[in-house]
Amino acid sequence: MRDLVEIGMGRTARRAYELDDIEIVPSRRTRSSKDVSTAWQLDAYRFEIPLVAHPTDAIVSPRTAVAIGELGGLGVINAEGLWARHSNVDDVLDRLVDAAERASETSDVTKVLQELHSAPIQADLVAQSIKEIRDSGVTVAARVSPQRAGELTPDLVAAGVEILVVQGTIVSAEHVARDGEPLNLKKFIEDLDIPVVAGGVHDYRTAMHLMRTGAAGVIVGYGYSSGVTSTDSVLGIGVPMATAIVDAAAARRDYLDETGGRYVHVLADGGIETSGDIAKTIACGADAVMLGAPLAAASEAPGGGLYWTAAAAHPSLPRSRVVPAAESEVDLRKLLFGPSTDTDGMHNLFGALRRAMAKTGYSDLKEFQKVGLTIRG
């Protein structure tokens, strides 16, 4: 039964939980971390760790997409970001870093980012970035917004994108626009020969609707990061991540039964700051995590120590700040796999996931989704 709380007369709300509100329960068995697999597979593509990089220019350039892919994850480049609009992105990013150092207010940096994103998207620049990633041999993924998916996707597919991510703050099965044709996600996916990951969703019903469109994966959340995103303040929208993930996992289970075996992957995007959060995200039912702010600490990250999400550049309603990401940089391999001297779960992110799985006796991610959970307080 749903845990409903009365707000006032005739109005109730469901109680929901963040990742910080839950803990993983050890089982009667432990095992060696050497016997644990963190691999997962999306459609025909196998990845050694359940990592999908949040598609922001702060952390994903063509070079870092390659580095993430070579380390077993999936880097997703933003096909509407700076690499799609400017040929001299290094200079552009230097300008942004300089603006951040000089700015007296967050809005000053936001104005610069909005200006940089006012330049038109150039198909040849997007194709050049995709070619650089593809030539390395890693899986190529690109993100588009629902508003521009129909316009940009043909060029992305022609350039060699292998996984398409249709991502916004909220994504539904049909995006309606007065000034253009609505995006019917089901027909859109049917017409493509590559897997599509779509989101964000925040509840069971929307997750089920997206699964029925034929999406290979559903993103839960919109990249929420404390102190960075402001969607809750600007739009009043947000669902605590632990509850949102569990609800989407329930939709996946029911859809699996409905279709007689079609499995749709759940990717969690938001509220994930430490290795413990990654473990709890998988324990709630996610197949993989979309990491944003934690990866901005990597020395390879193009943001130069800054972090923001794509929503920071919205021309009229920005919903992300440009903030310092970390006090010190660390190389990407150490960030993901250690060794680490950090005691707060900020480094060796996936080595810690393996250890959590081993300590609770589980050998793979799907089994670990069944681990027991408790609620604090």
Side-chain angles (χ1 to χ4, degrees):
M1 181 177 293
R2 293 193 171 192
D3 187 5
L4 295 179
V5 178
E6 185 176 294
I7 299 173
M9 294 181 63
R11 185 70 168 178
T12 60
R14 184 183 177 199
R15 189 184 300 277
Y17 300 95
E18 295 283 9
L19 294 171
D20 282 348
D21 295 326
I22 66 170
E23 300 283 5
I24 295 169
V25 180
S27 70
R28 63 181 177 83
R29 178 185 295 115
T30 59
R31 66 176 69 243
S32 169
S33 58
K34 295 178 182 179
D35 299 327
V36 169
S37 171
T38 57
W40 68 297
Q41 186 156 327
L42 178 67
D43 201 77
Y45 303 97
R46 176 185 167 92
F47 305 97
E48 295 306 315
I49 54 174
L51 166 64
V52 179
H54 183 85
T56 167
D57 297 322
I59 58 174
V60 184
S61 67
R63 286 193 296 271
T64 54
V66 171
I68 290 168
E70 290 175 343
L71 290 171
L74 176 65
V76 183
I77 196 159
N78 184 5
E80 299 175 30
L82 297 176
W83 270 269
R85 301 173 189 268
H86 299 275
S87 59
N88 58 333
V89 184
D90 289 340
D91 294 338
V92 165
L93 288 171
D94 286 343
R95 179 184 167 192
L96 187 64
V97 171
D98 184 62
E101 292 174 349
R102 295 171 179 269
S104 58
E105 296 182 9
T106 301
S107 60
D108 296 336
V109 189
T110 300
K111 289 177 184 176
V112 173
L113 200 58
Q114 289 172 319
E115 179 189 337
L116 294 173
H117 279 79
S118 67
I121 293 173
Q122 302 179 50
D124 59 327
L125 292 181
V126 179
Q128 180 180 325
S129 293
I130 292 170
K131 183 179 185 301
E132 183 177 340
I133 301 169
R134 190 175 182 86
D135 286 351
S136 74
V138 305
T139 303
V140 187
R143 173 261 178 191
V144 291
S145 64
Q147 295 88 340
R148 307 195 71 167
E151 169 195 351
L152 298 177
T153 297
D155 286 336
L156 294 175
V157 173
V161 162
E162 296 168 288
I163 297 174
L164 184 70
V165 177
V166 180
Q167 186 180 31
T169 301
I170 300 172
V171 172
S172 58
E174 183 176 25
H175 176 75
V176 180
R178 181 182 299 176
D179 57 352
E181 288 294 318
L183 174 66
N184 184 317
L185 200 57
K186 182 176 177 64
K187 185 177 186 307
F188 176 79
I189 291 173
E190 284 178 349
D191 292 341
L192 290 176
D193 291 328
I194 61 173
V196 175
V197 175
V201 303
H202 302 77
D203 65 308
Y204 172 96
R205 183 175 62 177
T206 311
M208 178 64 83
H209 284 176
L210 284 196
M211 290 174 186
R212 287 172 176 162
T213 67
V218 169
I219 301 168
V220 180
Y222 54 82
Y224 165 76
S225 183
S226 178
V228 181
T229 54
S230 55
T231 298
D232 53 346
S233 300
V234 176
L235 301 180
I237 292 173
V239 177
M241 280 298 291
T243 297
I245 296 165
V246 170
D247 284 354
R252 178 186 60 205
R253 179 196 62 225
D254 292 348
Y255 181 70
L256 188 70
D257 292 340
E258 177 183 298
T259 58
R262 184 172 186 272
Y263 188 93
V264 179
H265 291 83
V266 171
L267 286 66
D269 183 22
I272 306 167
E273 299 180 359
T274 67
S275 55
D277 291 336
I278 294 173
K280 287 189 278 189
T281 297
I282 303 297
C284 284
D287 297 285
V289 296
M290 291 191 87
L291 287 188
L295 297 185
S299 55
E300 295 90 337
L306 298 178
Y307 182 69
W308 65 92
T309 71
H314 193 283
S316 61
L317 199 65
R319 299 179 302 280
S320 172
R321 305 172 185 89
V322 180
V323 302
E327 294 181 0
S328 60
E329 294 182 344
V330 60
D331 72 81
L332 184 62
R333 179 179 291 276
K334 182 176 180 180
L335 186 68
L336 300 182
F337 301 116
S340 172
T341 56
D342 171 78
T343 58
D344 297 320
M346 304 301 293
H347 300 163
N348 197 2
L349 298 175
F350 291 92
L353 173 62
R354 293 177 66 90
R355 186 63 60 90
M357 293 168 65
K359 290 292 186 184
T360 51
Y362 294 90
S363 60
D364 61 48
L365 296 175
K366 281 191 169 59
E367 284 295 315
F368 190 54
Q369 291 170 349
K370 302 173 185 177
V371 69
L373 298 171
T374 59
I375 297 171
R376 288 185 176 182

